[in-house]
Amino acid sequence: MSNATTANHDDHHDHHPTGLARWLFTTNHKEIGTLYLVFSLIMFLVGGAMALVIRAELFAPGLQLVNPEFFNQMTTMHALVMIFGAVMPAFVGLANWMIPMMIGGPDMALPRMNNWSFWILPFAFTILLSTLFMPSGAPASGWTLYPPLSLQGGNSLAFVILSIHLMGISSIMGAINVIATILNMRAPGMTLLRMPLFVWTWLITAFLLIAVMPVLAGAVTMLLTDRFFGTSFFDAAGGGDPVLYQHIFWFFGHPEVYILILPAFGIISEIIPTFSRKRLFGYTAMVYATATIAFLSFTVWAHHMFTVGMPLGAQLFFMYATMVIAVPTGVKIFNWISTMWRGSMTFETPMLFALGFLVMFTIGGLSGLMLAIVPADYQYHDSYFVVAHFHYVLVTGAVFAIMAGVYYWLPKWTGHMYDEKLGKIHFWWSTISVNVLFFPQHYLGLAGMPRRIPDYAIQFTEFNMISSIGGFAFGFAQLLFAYIVWKCVRGGAPATAQVWEGARGLEWTVPSPAPLHTFDTPPKVDDSVTAHKDELS
Amino acid sequence: MKRTNELIVALAVLAVVTVITWGLFAVGDNMPRGVTPFSKDVYHLHNTVLGIVTVIGILVFTAMFTSVVVHRKSKGYEPAKFTHSTKAEITWTTIPILILIVIAIPATSVLIDMEDTGGAEMNVKITGYQWLWKYDYIEDGISFYSALDRDSNRARQIGSGINPRDVDNYLLEVDNRLVLPTNTRIRFLLTADDVIHSWWVPELGWKRDAIPGMINEAWTYIEEEGVYRGQCAELCGKDHGFMPIVVEAVSPEEYRRWVEAQGGEVAMEPEEHPGFVGRDRASGSDEQPEESAETINIAVLEQG
């Protein structure tokens, strides 16, 4: 799709393989970005299908469709597939496509490693999904794999741990590549405080990934030796401690939450200024707020485990630290609204998804503040209130931001405008159904419904039915999304280089579709080209 | 001219957002108030924080939608040029910090109260098993298991043909209830035999994990007689959804009569229990005994 526009580049670039070999051996950041995004979409639909099994079973009280073991496998696999297979690869795909173009670099700094870090993923997820067909079944102890429960499973645990190691290696390599690219490949004049916020948020995310993925690797390796080699890291009978696992896991797990949301902040910070036709408000504050959130994310892990029985002092510390995160997060929300304020807004699909993000991520953030309050968390913890909270931040937060980004950059990638009418239908259908899906879950949690149960008491029936109806509606809306993307790849109105009237930044100075090789000679960068401006200097 | 326009729109948006929020509160459930001093504290704390975040949310959405309505290109609105305001940044950093302090003060005092488990008049040890609870009344020497009741257990099997609506307290009834006296400071000691469970009765105001190899503490002081139902809250295997908790709070006098009626009989050791599946299962989850809760019910009935 991008060969036609490479005429003014060096000849040897055109001698790359075609067909399957092109994708297997590619070292081009745009092609690898496409691979990541396609992989992510497939995993999104696979993980979504698992969610529909869950919602179908929960449509009515009593067990109708699946037995409890399989239900637990579905909740576990749904989370692992969505987090590691859908959301993280989608962000890496966007990073691959956009970071070199945004900073005026010719490619990622480490192209062969880039290829490798992608091609590990299909193998990792083949291994993970294959456990569904093993005699002992897929892991059924929740994505957190808490021992001792996770150690009761069959041999499939070993496959799950191997696949987690592979995902971790892939993520770490991807993160190293992002850091190396951002620190070394910027065009002259693209100072750190001129970088687009998407680049900034990814730079910070990459450091988080490098810091915590090895921690997860350590935790699951200890599970592996506990299960198969007779160690007792987490077995009280052998002098170990099951709660130790939770501390280690969440030391990874909480920064992981921000790995899943910081690049989303970056995408939203690109889209809102474009469609408000106004520069981002408080750029420098946004950069510092992102760094602050990332730093604080290392100090709040135990708020996931307030009910394990920690000393009073520890609980108070983790409560206060968690509450403090609301401050930089609030700064971001206020800055986005100030960017919109007195702008000249239009509401194309990317902007609609960005506004949807803004509203629903705020709802998720506010329920997060409630969850920080330890005494109240004794009631909320492990109830559907928590399920509602993290789906608001992950689905209407991270996933909506990814979709906003896809609609925003799709014309740049394909050279065609997507079908605006279908895009708007997709947005409204998704937004209405996702709230029907997740909002009632707040009520269920407050009324006392625990999470991860395949069947429930009669008083929870109505809200579960409503939630399931919303779930199916939201699920099918995503097939429309896949169709819109496919249709845009195949054809559509030609896109200009600028694409959006208010768009600023280097990626909008190259033709649409972006040629396979961009910025072979670095562009000249000053405040007139950059999307943002450091107004303190 | 423009300023008035923004103000009028803002008031209209505020009204709409408030009505929607009110509607969301009106149709939904809230946390139960509960029957202990602690549950009431938590309930008030929850309502306070919920109120604060609701007001914040309404103000944020009002500002946002006012902008969406007014600052449109289709209305010929020209974009402003401002990109920074130190004063604004300081304001919206400081005000949230003050709000957080207002929330943190009551939260801290309730938590300190909760964590003080001293002065207990009686102690109950709670042990989680896959998938039932065991209660040991330390002072009164009573000890028994508490599992899902027979009717719920029949109805919950796939293809049982029994409508769960026809079962009283479906999934929230047990064979042996935890009988507790009201107006008594009761300390719980929580542990587990196999995997981590979590003991949660919403009306008592908290949940606490029951962890193998560890003993957790919590306390309660039930002020009203009644039957309070809850469930295991920590995923503990295939029947995690089927190990309910039922607390029957009775007057201290009635509690004494109940203790006398138990005749000091102590339950069998867990290993002798026919429904026991919690240990030595690491070699494979495939061979779990089916319908364990059913067998336990029968055993308990035979035991008399």
Side-chain angles (χ1 to χ4, degrees), chain A residues 51-310:
Chain A
L52 291 187
V53 173
I54 296 168
R55 281 318 324 168
E57 179 54 59
L58 291 175
F59 180 75
L63 289 173
Q64 292 87 17
L65 301 172
V66 297
N67 57 38
E69 296 94 321
F70 189 70
F71 184 91
N72 290 344
Q73 294 176 22
M74 285 293 105
T75 54
T76 306
M77 294 292 272
H78 163 71
L80 288 171
V81 167
M82 285 303 200
I83 292 168
F84 294 102
V87 175
M88 289 171 72
F91 283 136
V92 182
L94 294 172
N96 258 291
W97 254 104
M98 302 318 299
I99 287 178
M101 288 207 281
M102 284 176 145
I103 61 175
D107 202 315
M108 295 295 276
L110 307 160
R112 283 189 178 76
M113 195 167 84
N114 204 10
N115 172 291
W116 193 27
S117 68
F118 170 76
W119 278 109
I120 285 176
L121 285 181
F123 294 94
F125 280 86
T126 305
I127 292 170
L128 179 67
L129 293 171
S130 73
T131 59
L132 280 166
F133 306 100
M134 291 180 185
S136 57
S141 55
W143 80 282
T144 52
L145 301 175
Y146 278 4
L149 182 63
S150 59
L151 303 176
Q152 288 185 344
N155 291 336
S156 66
L157 183 71
F159 291 83
V160 175
I161 289 172
L162 176 63
S163 74
I164 289 175
H165 278 307
L166 290 175
M167 294 168 208
I169 292 168
S170 164
S171 293
I172 291 169
M173 289 198 295
I176 291 171
N177 212 345
V178 166
I179 293 172
T181 305
I182 295 174
L183 296 184
N184 295 304
M185 309 288 278
R186 279 171 292 131
M190 178 59 81
T191 58
L192 285 176
L193 281 175
R194 271 185 183 144
M195 294 196 309
L197 253 225
F198 180 68
V199 180
W200 256 115
T201 53
W202 240 115
L203 178 64
I204 292 164
T205 302
F207 278 105
L208 288 182
L209 275 168
I210 291 177
V212 301
M213 292 311 289
V215 178
L216 175 66
V220 294
T221 304
M222 285 188 268
L223 277 186
L224 186 79
T225 61
D226 268 15
R227 172 67 179 80
F228 296 102
F229 302 106
T231 58
S232 322
F233 291 109
F234 308 127
D235 178 7
D241 180 357
V243 178
L244 172 67
Y245 175 85
Q246 299 185 22
H247 281 288
I248 301 172
F249 181 87
W250 287 112
F251 188 82
F252 145 80
H254 200 78
E256 169 70 19
V257 172
Y258 291 95
I259 289 165
L260 298 172
I261 202 67
L262 292 184
F265 290 168
I267 295 168
I268 300 303
S269 303
E270 302 303 323
I271 291 174
I272 288 181
T274 294
F275 295 95
S276 305
R277 292 168 181 74
K278 190 161 156 274
R279 283 183 192 251
L280 185 72
F281 184 89
Y283 168 83
T284 317
M286 290 295 242
V287 171
Y288 286 125
T290 309
T292 309
I293 292 171
F295 173 77
L296 288 173
S297 76
F298 287 104
T299 66
V300 298
W301 74 89
H303 71 210
H304 296 270
M305 38 190 288
F306 279 140
T307 61
V308 299
M310 278 181 287

Side-chain angles (χ1 to χ4, degrees), chain B residues 18-30:
Chain B
T18 309
V19 168
I20 292 172
T21 312
W22 177 82
L24 290 173
F25 280 116
V27 298
D29 295 324
N30 198 5

Side-chain angles (χ1 to χ4, degrees), chain B residues 237-264:
Chain B
K238 78 179 171 82
D239 284 351
H240 162 57
F242 307 100
M243 49 184 292
I245 299 153
V246 180
V247 171
E248 189 174 335
V250 298
S251 67
E253 300 75 41
E254 205 181 326
Y255 172 73
R256 291 284 14 132
R257 281 196 291 278
W258 177 81
V259 170
E260 303 302 323
Q262 300 306 303

